Amino acid sequence: MKRNISKTATDFMKWLHELLASQKYILLNRREHEKADELGDRLLGYYDNKGVYIIPDKVFELAEDFMMEHNADIVSVETDLLFAEIICPEYDGIKLRFRKQKRIGKSKKRYLTFERRWFEDNDELAKIINCR
């Protein structure tokens, strides 16, 4: 069954793809997490063979203009991404969370966890996450 994806979710993914394609911000392979400090503010998140993990505070700080243009807020964007099955939520038996907890290196934080397929379908982004 094909899901109906909202315009906000579609536009957000286009915006995110353009942001990453600009190469101003970097996704780092999880195995190379020790290089994170070298990247400083350019680090947008991580990837591995299971998904793409975006630092939520960083991406939503950069997305301020996008959200104003779409009359959206963080919760509405995350909700649209969740219902479109673009991000993977975490359910702990009591609460559904938009941001999945992930250990990268020695730290455990919550990330917007994207299904890899949303990046693999785009040739430019597939190269960024090393699947082409």
Side-chain angles (χ1 to χ4, degrees):
M1 183 174 122
K2 188 172 179 177
R3 269 216 189 265
N4 214 2
I5 299 176
S6 74
K7 180 169 175 24
T8 302
T10 303
D11 289 351
F12 184 82
M13 288 308 293
K14 286 179 187 171
W15 173 84
L16 184 58
H17 288 177
E18 289 170 8
L19 183 69
L20 289 167
S22 75
Q23 298 182 353
K24 291 179 185 174
Y25 298 94
I26 307 278
L27 290 178
L28 190 60
N29 188 309
R30 271 185 63 203
R31 290 180 299 218
E32 299 175 351
H33 62 85
E34 65 280 348
K35 295 180 182 177
D37 289 340
E38 295 170 28
L39 296 173
D41 287 344
R42 294 187 60 216
L43 180 66
L44 193 60
Y46 300 88
Y47 68 90
D48 62 17
N49 62 349
K50 295 179 183 174
V52 176
Y53 314 100
I54 302 290
I55 302 166
D57 294 344
K58 181 70 176 177
V59 78
F60 286 121
E61 176 187 314
L62 295 169
E64 274 187 40
D65 290 340
F66 170 87
M67 290 188 296
M68 285 177 50
E69 184 180 313
H70 286 80
N71 197 23
D73 59 19
I74 293 171
V75 173
S76 66
V77 171
E78 286 179 318
T79 302
D80 285 353
L81 294 171
L82 175 69
F83 284 124
E85 297 179 354
I86 295 172
I87 60 172
C88 309
E90 179 176 79
Y91 182 65
D92 63 10
I94 298 170
K95 189 174 187 179
L96 180 71
R97 299 176 188 269
F98 291 130
R99 300 170 185 189
K100 211 172 188 179
Q101 196 167 21
K102 190 79 175 163
R103 178 175 301 281
I104 297 180
K106 293 181 181 178
S107 66
K108 207 174 192 182
K109 296 181 181 175
R110 294 200 175 275
Y111 295 92
L112 279 179
T113 302
F114 289 80
E115 295 274 353
R116 265 184 78 94
R117 65 186 162 95
W118 291 99
F119 292 82
E120 291 170 341
D121 292 344
N122 178 303
D123 287 337
E124 203 167 342
L125 293 175
K127 289 175 191 167
I128 291 171
I129 62 170
N130 292 333
C131 61
R132 287 210 184 100

